[in-house]
Amino acid sequence: MLFNYGDKCTRLLRQTCSRANMQLKLELIAAACENMGIGNNGALPWRLKTEMEYFTRMTIDTKDKNKKNVVLMGRRTWDSIPIKYRPLNDRINMVLTSQSLDYGDKAIVCKSIPHALEVIAGMQNQIERVWIIGGSSVYKDAMESPHFGRLYLTRIKKEFECDTFFPPIPNDFVLVTDPAVPQDVQEEKGIKFVYEVYEKR
Ligand SMILES: NC(=O)c1ccc[n+]([C@@H]2O[C@H](COP(=O)([O-])OP(=O)(O)OC[C@H]3O[C@@H](n4cnc5c(N)ncnc54)[C@H](OP(=O)(O)O)[C@@H]3O)[C@@H](O)[C@H]2O)c1
């Protein structure tokens, strides 16, 4: 009897956890230039203040002011953030690495995306959105994940020298609109760029 009860509890707990996991959606945000480059020498290949402000606004804003968003990134993306901007403010920073690193209270270290999702599921009522902020392999894994939600991609209409690239966008991704995203062409320092949003068809 006791065994059956325990068994039922375990099953219920698993179902609850998997329901919690199902609700989690990964939202990717990236900026890529015409050759789909996203980085060079461990930094961004461009300096576009408006684009950076867009990234900051999108990743910080929450409807529920009691909640925060997660920014989940690869270890090299974390390293690429200037120390004075680390951790990214008003967001829960999470870093993927295979190493035994410790960022203290600046960032939560996770060993894989599923591990990060487990950690996030444990704090779900404090979190509104989960933003994947790079780099290459993390974007690829997130686009292939059953938890993929949306891709927010800034297309910079210029070629830059890059050593890091955005992975191919799957054929079943379609453009959608989001009222929080400006639809007109942006321009800064003579460089044009547009904000796109994709979902899986
Ligand atoms: N334009 C943009 O939107 C944008 C966005 C983000 C980054 N960037 C640029 O991209 C470059 C950095 O990106 P990157 O692709 O080189 O590196 P990255 O993805 O940021 O970091 C790669 C590292 O993350 C860890 N990692 C990744 N996936 C993992 C997994 N599934 N499980 C465990 N650990 C995992 C590993 O760390 P360990 O080696 O420690 O195990 C791996 O070496 C920089 O130039 C940055 O400025 C641009």
Side-chain angles (χ1 to χ4, degrees):
M1 193 62 189
L2 195 64
F3 172 79
N4 282 344
Y5 180 69
D7 217 30
K8 207 172 164 187
C9 276
T10 312
R11 212 170 46 240
L12 267 173
L13 188 67
R14 269 208 207 105
Q15 279 168 1
T16 312
C17 286
S18 90
R19 262 201 302 277
N21 265 324
M22 286 312 290
Q23 285 161 11
L24 290 171
K25 286 284 173 218
L26 301 175
E27 301 188 89
L28 284 61
I29 187 159
C33 58
E34 273 180 349
N35 42 334
M36 290 312 275
I38 60 167
N40 197 33
N41 291 324
L44 291 177
W46 47 79
R47 227 178 125 71
L48 296 171
K49 198 166 160 273
T50 333
E51 210 286 320
M52 192 49 81
E53 283 166 359
Y54 169 75
F55 167 84
T56 305
R57 173 173 67 81
M58 293 300 289
T59 54
I60 290 183
D61 276 2
T62 53
K63 288 193 185 101
D64 181 342
K65 294 302 162 201
N66 295 314
K67 292 188 178 181
K68 278 191 177 177
N69 296 329
V70 162
V71 279
L72 175 60
M73 69 199 94
R75 194 257 313 153
R76 288 205 290 266
T77 296
W78 171 263
D79 288 343
S80 76
I81 303 169
I83 290 171
K84 64 175 175 178
Y85 296 120
R86 272 187 347 217
L88 294 177
N89 65 300
D90 301 317
R91 288 152 281 185
I92 296 166
N93 288 233
M94 295 180 80
V95 180
L96 293 171
T97 178
S98 59
Q99 305 176 61
S100 301
L101 297 172
D102 184 357
Y103 297 118
D105 58 7
K106 289 192 168 66
I108 300 168
V109 172
C110 292
K111 58 181 192 306
S112 63
I113 290 184
H115 178 212
L117 287 172
E118 269 176 43
V119 174
I120 292 164
M123 354 184 244
Q124 233 193 354
N125 48 5
Q126 304 157 49
I127 292 170
E128 192 163 292
R129 299 175 89 170
V130 180
W131 288 101
I132 301 289
I133 64 163
S136 275
S137 68
V138 188
Y139 285 137
K140 182 172 187 294
D141 290 350
M143 287 197 293
E144 290 169 0
S145 161
H147 297 282
F148 171 80
R150 276 184 165 185
L151 163 63
Y152 289 77
L153 180 65
T154 303
R155 299 248 190 205
I156 298 171
K157 307 281 186 190
K158 191 181 166 175
E159 279 207 14
F160 286 84
E161 193 184 336
C162 292
D163 58 19
T164 312
F165 296 86
F166 194 84
I169 298 173
N171 288 334
D172 58 351
F173 279 25
V174 290
L175 279 170
V176 295
T177 54
D178 178 331
V181 175
Q183 281 184 273
D184 48 332
V185 177
Q186 311 289 307
E187 187 164 354
E188 190 178 328
K189 298 178 188 162
I191 301 168
K192 290 191 168 60
F193 51 101
V194 288
Y195 301 123
E196 290 185 345
V197 187
Y198 291 86
E199 273 180 6
K200 209 179 171 74
R201 190 186 294 125

